Amino acid sequence: MTLKQFMNEAISPWMREEGPDSDIVLSSRIRLARNFSDVSYPILADHEKLEGIRDFIKEEYEHQSFQDYEDFSFISIPDLTAIEKRVLVEKHLISPHLSKSEHAPATIISKNEQVSVMINEEDHIRIQLYFPGLQLSKALEGAFELDDWLEEKINYAFDETRGYLTSCPTNVGTGMRASVMMHLPALAMTKQINRMIPAINQLGLVVRGIYGEGSDAQGNIFQISNQITLGKTEADIIGDLQSVVQQLIEHERNARNRIMEQSGKKLEDRIFRSFGVLDYSRIIESKEAAACLSNVRLGIDLGLIKNVSRNILNELMILTQPGFLQQYAQATLTADERDELRASLIRERLQLEK
Amino acid sequence: MQCQECQQRPATLHFTQVINGTKTEIHVCEVCAKEKGYMTYPEEGYSLHNLLTGLFNFDSAMMESQQSNSYNQVKELKCPQCGMSLSTFKKVGKFGCATCYDTFSERLDPILRRVHSGNTKHYGKIPKRMGGDLHTKKQLESYKAELQQLIEDENFEEAAQIRDKIKALQNQSDGSKAGDDT
Ligand SMILES: [Zn+2]
Ligand SMILES: [Zn+2]
């Protein structure tokens, strides 16, 4: 398989579309946690009952309207190889928790990979939707539609006072986790992000770096999500998140402009050096790759690099993770082998645009 | 900002904890978060659940000092549906079934308040099949809260509008079910 073909399969189709503010916001996600009222949660339920839940949803999907709703496929997680599971996790289609679960874990994934329904995760059902760019209300609308569809068939665990009952009390109420993935290189470079985080926390929102193993946000990608699920409506929660994200977008744009004005040559140098590293290195660790990709993406956003498509950060952040590298090589690789393959994959990817 | 645990690495994880209405901020690095058990899956960054476990233990220590010790020793609270005991719940920070919420309801409010910035009640979506009553009731509650706020803000014009909405909603629900409960 050529890299181009592989890439086409590796990148979720929805990621290719550009959404509002997609120079800074990579994606918006809504996740709803739901449970059957009469079955214990996966940590404690009989295995048979959980298989029952899995089969019930599989049946609904196969024989009824699920397929009409969108083009979905059903996947039983234990049927997958270790690398396949890892790839689904790296694509954010399932959680690490689901990939390791022994409680009849399964998922239903839409063809464009925008929607996935996790079955027997920490809760019986977790509905998850992704949209490109900043589109929280659209994602919520879609999640509610699916939720309504499921609710016609399932007696949800719901309490008048507490709302949707979930295994973890951190999710009770709306059961909703909304999050936005942002590329904030200028705020990270100027360390402004560190001063903003405590203020954002005050609003019941959490900021964390993603893909990070160490202390830094790899690739300057940050995830902002709601921490509170009780006492506010879904629309209010999303409204709070949206307004914080909009402010961050504005600050990021201002910071980019300021850096360009004050030390444009330095920034340009940094961006093109990173481009050079990606274009020529023979061995590259994930951390360095992420940092360089972030710079190149910034270079594209600033109009300094013109011959590379904007998706490169999204694509290569996913493609160069261990699961994908091994899937591409069709073999289990050592860390050294991965660093080599990562470098050659990135070079090949950049060649595609020349 | 430096990590409050090791004071060496920069703090990259930030939590806000609300205890008895006082906000405390926790700033730790990822290494310490892992060591202190705030993180389970490194891929997920950190786990609030593990932070919670600490809160539950703190909660139980408070409870014990307030209550007579004999109660705790003699009889442990257990969920009749799934068998989850209070001590297991404190350890894992997760409930075993929907009935657990009733079983542990007395202990729940302080925990929820801490996790959800003082909130203990749901104002969000309601399953459609749960009936219109609940929808109306919730709508009334939220209008009343809004009304209160508007009056406090001395925004009487909008307050009057909300008051009319409340009246209309009350009339509508009285009419539909001959007013058995408000
Ligand atoms: Zn530390
Ligand atoms: Zn229970």
Side-chain angles (χ1 to χ4, degrees):
Chain A
M1 195 177 356
T2 68
L3 177 68
K4 185 128 200 174
Q5 281 172 309
F6 180 74
M7 247 169 50
N8 283 337
E9 282 174 31
I11 304 305
S12 298
W14 67 266
M15 288 176 76
R16 270 173 238 287
E17 288 164 37
E18 289 221 338
D21 299 306
S22 41
D23 55 330
I24 290 169
V25 179
L26 305 179
S27 63
S28 304
R29 187 198 70 161
I30 295 285
R31 192 209 71 199
L32 298 177
R34 300 290 188 253
N35 286 282
F36 285 65
S37 66
D38 52 354
V39 182
S40 294
Y41 301 137
I43 39 163
L44 275 188
D46 296 339
H47 195 74
E48 268 173 39
K49 291 219 164 141
L50 296 173
E51 284 176 337
I53 285 182
R54 180 197 62 199
D55 296 343
F56 176 86
I57 295 189
K58 185 166 188 263
E59 196 115 314
E60 288 296 332
Y61 144 75
E62 276 169 355
H63 301 298
Q64 294 187 30
S65 48
F66 222 122
Q67 286 166 308
D68 303 335
Y69 177 81
E70 238 185 273
D71 202 359
F72 282 90
S73 33
F74 178 92
I75 299 166
S76 172
I77 303 296
D79 292 348
L80 302 177
T81 65
I83 289 178
E84 285 170 335
K85 282 183 212 171
R86 185 149 194 179
V87 163
L88 288 188
V89 171
E90 288 171 3
K91 278 178 126 171
H92 298 281
L93 288 168
I94 63 170
S95 64
H97 183 84
L98 192 79
S99 77
K100 289 172 199 148
S101 166
E102 286 166 7
H103 307 293
T107 182
I108 291 175
I109 299 174
S110 74
K111 200 177 173 195
N112 67 355
E113 299 181 359
Q114 193 164 13
V115 187
S116 60
V117 180
M118 287 189 265
I119 301 158
N120 293 326
E121 217 260 8
E122 183 181 295
D123 295 298
H124 295 138
I125 295 171
R126 285 192 167 182
I127 301 166
Q128 191 174 268
L129 275 91
Y130 284 98
F131 274 80
L134 182 55
Q135 302 194 68
L136 284 167
S137 349
K138 238 181 150 180
L140 183 66
E141 219 173 275
F144 276 1
E145 200 182 337
L146 242 152
D147 185 39
D148 291 341
W149 182 88
L150 280 168
E151 191 234 317
E152 283 171 22
K153 298 149 184 61
I154 299 166
N155 279 323
Y156 278 159
F158 181 85
D159 176 84
E160 201 177 309
T161 320
R162 309 289 189 208
Y164 293 93
L165 304 178
T166 51
S167 180
C168 188
T170 52
N171 293 319
V172 73
T174 60
M176 182 186 75
R177 206 60 73 185
S179 56
V180 172
M181 208 93 95
M182 305 183 80
H183 182 225
L184 303 172
L187 290 182
M189 249 177 246
T190 55
K191 304 217 186 304
Q192 284 180 76
I193 189 73
N194 295 338
R195 275 182 283 128
M196 290 170 177
I197 288 171
I200 297 171
N201 290 161
Q202 296 278 331
L203 297 165
L205 303 173
V206 192
V207 184
R208 62 182 183 86
I210 66 144
Y211 294 113
E213 289 150 29
S215 54
D216 298 323
Q218 271 199 44
N220 297 318
I221 298 177
F222 295 85
Q223 190 190 57
I224 330 282
S225 50
N226 65 304
Q227 189 173 358
I228 294 164
T229 55
L230 204 58
K232 286 184 189 180
T233 65
E234 290 85 351
D236 285 341
I237 292 171
I238 281 180
D240 290 349
L241 182 57
Q242 176 107 8
S243 69
V244 164
V245 168
Q246 260 149 357
Q247 284 184 51
L248 281 169
I249 291 172
E250 203 175 304
H251 285 299
E252 171 67 23
R253 288 200 179 124
N254 289 340
R256 287 180 186 187
N257 290 338
R258 218 170 315 123
I259 297 173
M260 275 302 272
E261 275 165 28
Q262 289 169 3
S263 40
K265 259 289 163 277
K266 266 191 188 164
L267 182 65
E268 205 179 323
D269 181 66
R270 183 170 170 163
I271 287 166
F272 279 101
R273 275 171 189 273
S274 291
F275 197 15
V277 168
L278 293 178
D279 214 4
Y280 286 101
S281 64
R282 274 12 188 200
I283 295 168
I284 193 163
E285 280 183 30
S286 64
K287 205 171 176 177
E288 189 183 6
C292 291
L293 281 167
S294 169
N295 285 334
V296 166
R297 165 72 191 241
L298 179 61
I300 298 165
D301 290 341
L302 293 172
L304 295 170
I305 297 175
K306 291 195 171 75
N307 54 342
V308 183
S309 68
R310 197 178 244 181
N311 269 333
I312 192 149
L313 176 76
N314 262 337
E315 278 175 8
L316 285 176
M317 284 298 278
I318 289 178
L319 277 175
T320 57
Q321 285 188 78
F324 270 103
L325 291 174
Q326 297 181 92
Q327 168 103 330
Y328 186 66
Q330 293 290 311
T332 310
L333 304 174
T334 66
D336 285 348
E337 288 168 336
R338 291 204 299 264
D339 291 347
E340 237 177 83
L341 182 58
R342 182 177 296 114
S344 82
L345 249 165
I346 292 173
R347 289 201 316 274
E348 213 181 315
R349 168 68 184 78
L350 289 170
Q351 283 302 317
L352 288 177
E353 312 229 4
K354 282 181 182 168
Chain B
M1 191 183 308
Q2 281 196 331
C3 167
Q4 65 186 50
E5 293 284 349
C6 64
Q7 257 111 41
Q8 282 173 352
R9 290 173 285 266
T12 50
L13 298 170
H14 310 268
F15 308 96
T16 310
Q17 215 179 298
V18 180
I19 298 173
N20 298 331
T22 316
K23 270 191 188 153
T24 317
E25 279 169 15
I26 299 171
H27 307 283
V28 286
C29 70
E30 232 153 317
V31 178
C32 291
K34 261 181 216 164
E35 265 170 26
K36 303 284 161 191
Y38 296 169
M39 289 167 89
T40 35
Y41 302 101
E43 298 99 314
E44 285 186 355
Y46 73 94
S47 164
L48 201 77
H49 307 154
N50 290 60
L51 179 69
L52 262 185
T53 313
L55 296 181
F56 291 130
N57 290 334
F58 175 68
D59 183 57
S60 80
M62 281 205 330
M63 290 279 185
E64 268 162 284
S65 67
Q66 283 165 4
Q67 283 177 342
S68 65
N69 283 329
S70 58
Y71 175 83
N72 285 304
Q73 280 158 8
V74 175
K75 203 175 168 194
E76 196 186 27
L77 205 52
K78 250 189 174 176
C79 176
Q81 183 68 38
C82 69
M84 172 72 75
S85 69
L86 188 61
S87 56
T88 312
F89 170 58
K90 282 176 193 162
K91 229 176 279 156
V92 297
K94 279 171 200 163
F95 288 129
C97 74
T99 309
C100 284
Y101 279 89
D102 289 331
T103 311
F104 305 112
S105 70
E106 271 180 43
R107 316 274 175 120
L108 205 53
D109 276 0
I111 293 165
L112 293 179
R113 235 175 260 133
R114 237 172 265 149
V115 179
H116 298 286
S117 283
N119 299 309
T120 57
K121 267 179 135 179
H122 174 63
Y123 287 102
K125 193 174 194 249
I126 296 165
K128 287 212 172 78
R129 283 191 300 139
M130 301 290 284
D133 270 15
L134 197 51
H135 284 274
T136 315
K137 208 171 132 187
K138 287 278 173 188
Q139 185 66 63
L140 272 176
E141 271 178 35
S142 89
Y143 277 154
K144 280 176 183 167
E146 205 178 327
L147 181 64
Q148 192 70 37
Q149 188 57 49
L150 289 168
I151 291 171
E152 271 172 38
D153 297 345
E154 302 191 2
N155 188 345
F156 300 114
E157 222 165 282
E158 273 187 54
Q161 284 172 12
I162 296 290
R163 199 192 49 218
D164 291 344
K165 281 188 189 170
I166 291 174
K167 267 189 195 155
L169 206 57
Q170 275 168 339
N171 288 340
Q172 185 192 323
S173 72
D174 285 351
S176 67
K177 57 185 176 91
D180 49 10
D181 98 278
T182 34

